[in-house]
Amino acid sequence: MAEKKKFRMIDAILTVICVVFVAEAAAPVAAIGNSQYFWWLFMIIFFLLPYGLISSELGTTYVGDGGLYDWVTKAYGHKMGARASWYYWINFPLWMASLAVVFPEMITLITGFECNTIVALAIELAFIWIVTLIAFTPTADSAWILNGAAAIKVFLAVLVGILGIVGAVKNGFANPISAENSLLPSFDADSLSYISVIIFNMLGFEVICTMSDSMENPKKQIPQAIVIGGLVIAAVYMFSAFGIGAAIPTEDVSTSSGLIDALQILTGKTGGLFIGACAILFLLTLFGNMVSWSTGVNEVAAYAAANGDMPKIFGKRSEKNDMPVGSALMNGIVASIVVIAAPFIPNEDLFWSFFALNLVMFLLAYIPIFPAFLKLRRIDPDAERPFKVPGNDIVLKILAIIPVILIIVSVIFTAIPLSFDSETLAATLPITIGAVVFIVIGEIMILVLGSGKKNVESPAKVEEIAEPETVSEDAE
């Protein structure tokens, strides 16, 4: 008798919310200022909508643990699939390191105890390795973690939004709203560098596709979870962004602790039981982020390793529960190296340095997904598509091309110095250098592994789709 799947529809929806909604990313977006409202609406229409539709089609057509690696490899072969899986994986330990450096600051807020370098490092490493150990357990068995983290995230975001409305009614807006400075976009370099965070806030729908084996009916649950979860996430993001914008002047927004800062300002309290409880809940959401993302990222890396497109260590699985422990272990090692090296990085905002580098690598992994969607429609027209993006060829090309353009532009403004003053170089050069280093490492990995080979033997062998042959008129 087949084992009953453990992921219900509500679990799938809450997992989408937990994965995609990133509470700590609300503050960097608030640093854009009042024009964030324009950018939120713009990105919801021109990025979130097409990305959600395309992910739903690809995720229900090509069901499996490979996720975006599968889609890109089917369309463009192993070399491009290897790049996508490498960029997709390396972002995770960088992200984990960025969240780790937030922990000592939150601990100080809760306890009043100032952490020295050694204590802070111990806290950061503890966070990293707790997440790593949790990642060794099956996602279905940890569904309560994902559901709980999703509920806490929504609670904190809605709380900030409600308090922001109350504060605006009583005291006015910290950033006065007008058509000139709120409804029109800002195109200065500082603002545009944070646009990548908005895109980041909308990514992750494909993670739910890697959990298809834990679902009762993935071809029905995946698109429904993406649609319902996406609508909830968009509404909560906008509400939370309004609360932070109403509470904190743009120039005073902290990229690492802006949400808690907003609660402090809106309640008029810098400490106490309420703020401490909110800070603890915020820290729990960081654990939830890492747990929810670890499964998808590790499964993709393990799947790619099984096909010879990532080093063998990433393909190592637990004999007890078949979890990708090799990839999880590498997450912990790389993130630990990053936080240990952090004191030597010449940047006061370590959270943004690591977070921005994670953004760049993560966004690079998504670029080939959209053209892969178009190519798979062309070379695999007979595949069963339980969910199919509506529209003719022109509409589909628009839906695929616009998100790619937005990703490329956001990467440029995040990773490349657009001016050469000392402040800009100090903030951006570590991101630029880090991105180049990890791209080069990926290319070396591809060269060493010999990616692109046609006859990889493995249980998870990716089925490549041949281009349809054209028949000449003479042959007819």
Side-chain angles (χ1 to χ4, degrees):
M1 184 175 180
E3 181 183 356
K4 182 176 175 61
K5 302 299 185 182
K6 297 183 179 181
F7 252 55
R8 302 162 296 165
M9 174 58 71
I10 186 63
D11 293 324
I13 293 171
L14 289 174
T15 298
V16 168
I17 294 173
C18 185
V19 168
V20 178
F21 182 67
V22 183
E24 74 274 9
V29 177
I32 297 174
N34 283 334
S35 63
Q36 66 167 310
Y37 305 120
F38 167 87
W39 288 117
W40 274 117
L41 291 173
F42 181 88
M43 291 298 178
I44 287 171
I45 296 170
F46 293 102
F47 187 87
L48 181 63
L49 178 61
Y51 164 59
L53 291 172
I54 289 171
S55 295
S56 294
E57 176 172 324
L58 292 175
T60 53
T61 304
Y62 306 102
V63 177
D65 293 338
L68 62 80
Y69 164 78
D70 239 352
W71 310 336
V72 174
T73 303
K74 287 177 186 293
Y76 295 110
H78 283 271
K79 283 188 177 181
M80 189 58 72
R83 288 189 184 94
S85 62
W86 167 251
Y87 297 154
Y88 193 66
W89 175 80
I90 192 60
N91 103 88
F92 184 80
L94 293 171
W95 185 15
M96 187 152 52
S98 75
L99 299 189
V101 301
V102 172
F103 257 71
E105 183 177 346
M106 290 293 104
I107 296 295
T108 299
L109 178 63
I110 296 169
T111 64
F113 174 74
E114 289 289 341
C115 301
N116 59 35
T117 302
I118 300 299
V119 173
L121 181 59
I123 293 172
E124 292 163 7
L125 292 175
F127 168 73
I128 288 169
W129 286 101
I130 290 173
V131 169
T132 300
L133 292 175
I134 292 175
F136 288 171
T137 62
T139 299
D141 293 342
S142 304
W144 64 272
I145 298 178
L146 308 183
N147 295 350
I152 293 171
K153 288 180 182 183
V154 173
F155 168 75
L156 289 176
V158 171
L159 179 62
V160 170
I162 292 174
L163 291 176
I165 293 175
V166 173
V169 171
K170 288 184 175 180
N171 308 312
F173 288 94
N175 301 291
I177 295 178
S178 67
E180 182 180 354
N181 65 11
S182 297
L183 302 180
L184 299 178
S186 172
F187 293 102
D188 62 275
D190 289 339
S191 296
L192 290 174
S193 68
Y194 290 117
I195 298 300
S196 58
V197 185
I198 296 182
I199 295 179
F200 174 81
N201 286 342
M202 297 175 176
L203 295 176
F205 289 140
E206 75 290 339
V207 172
I208 195 68
C209 301
T210 68
M211 302 175 184
S212 58
D213 288 343
S214 297
M215 296 181 184
E216 295 174 349
N217 186 354
K219 292 189 176 182
K220 178 181 178 181
Q221 287 176 298
I222 287 174
Q224 287 183 348
I226 288 175
V227 170
I228 297 172
L231 291 174
V232 172
I233 289 163
V236 173
Y237 266 138
M238 292 291 292
F239 197 54
S240 175
F242 172 81
I244 295 177
I248 309 175
T250 300
E251 61 274 12
D252 296 333
V253 173
S254 166
T255 56
S256 60
S257 59
L259 188 144
I260 301 300
D261 290 345
L263 288 174
Q264 289 179 320
I265 292 172
L266 290 169
T267 59
K269 300 177 181 179
T270 58
L273 184 61
F274 176 75
I275 296 298
C278 289
I280 291 173
L281 291 176
F282 179 72
L283 294 181
L284 289 176
T285 69
L286 303 188
F287 276 109
N289 284 346
M290 294 296 95
V291 172
S292 59
W293 270 99
S294 65
T295 299
V297 169
N298 293 340
E299 284 291 351
V300 169
Y303 192 90
N307 286 278
D309 291 330
M310 288 279 281
K312 289 183 179 179
I313 181 63
F314 290 90
K316 182 175 176 56
R317 290 182 175 272
S318 167
E319 295 180 2
K320 181 179 179 180
N321 55 33
D322 199 42
M323 290 296 289
V325 294
S327 179
L329 184 63
M330 291 302 294
N331 288 334
I333 292 172
V334 173
S336 298
I337 293 173
V338 172
V339 297
I340 291 171
F344 304 100
I345 297 176
N347 193 319
E348 294 182 0
D349 193 347
L350 288 176
F351 168 79
W352 175 247
S353 292
F354 295 150
F355 192 72
L357 182 54
N358 138 56
L359 282 176
V360 171
M361 303 311 299
F362 193 48
L363 293 176
L364 289 177
Y366 281 83
I367 291 176
I369 291 178
F370 299 95
F373 160 72
L374 295 176
K375 187 170 183 181
L376 288 171
R377 272 288 189 98
R378 178 167 57 85
I379 67 176
D380 192 20
D382 299 326
E384 180 186 354
R385 289 175 165 82
F387 175 86
K388 192 173 184 179
V389 180
N392 57 29
D393 288 345
I394 295 176
V395 171
L396 296 181
K397 287 180 180 178
I398 292 173
L399 288 176
I401 291 172
I402 290 178
V404 171
I405 294 173
L406 292 175
I407 290 175
I408 292 173
V409 169
S410 66
V411 167
I412 290 172
F413 278 97
T414 303
I416 299 176
L418 300 179
S419 62
F420 298 99
D421 58 278
S422 58
E423 184 178 349
T424 300
L425 291 177
T428 310
L429 272 184
I431 302 169
T432 308
I433 295 170
V436 171
V437 167
F438 286 120
I439 289 172
V440 170
I441 291 174
E443 294 304 310
I444 294 173
M445 178 195 74
I446 293 171
L447 182 64
V448 171
L449 293 175
S451 295
K453 45 190 174 295
K454 299 292 184 181
N455 54 350
V456 179
E457 295 294 337
S458 87
K461 178 172 170 57
V462 175
E463 179 185 354
E464 296 186 33
I465 303 167
E467 291 271 8
E469 295 183 2
T470 56
V471 181
S472 67
E473 294 182 2
D474 292 340
E476 293 179 352

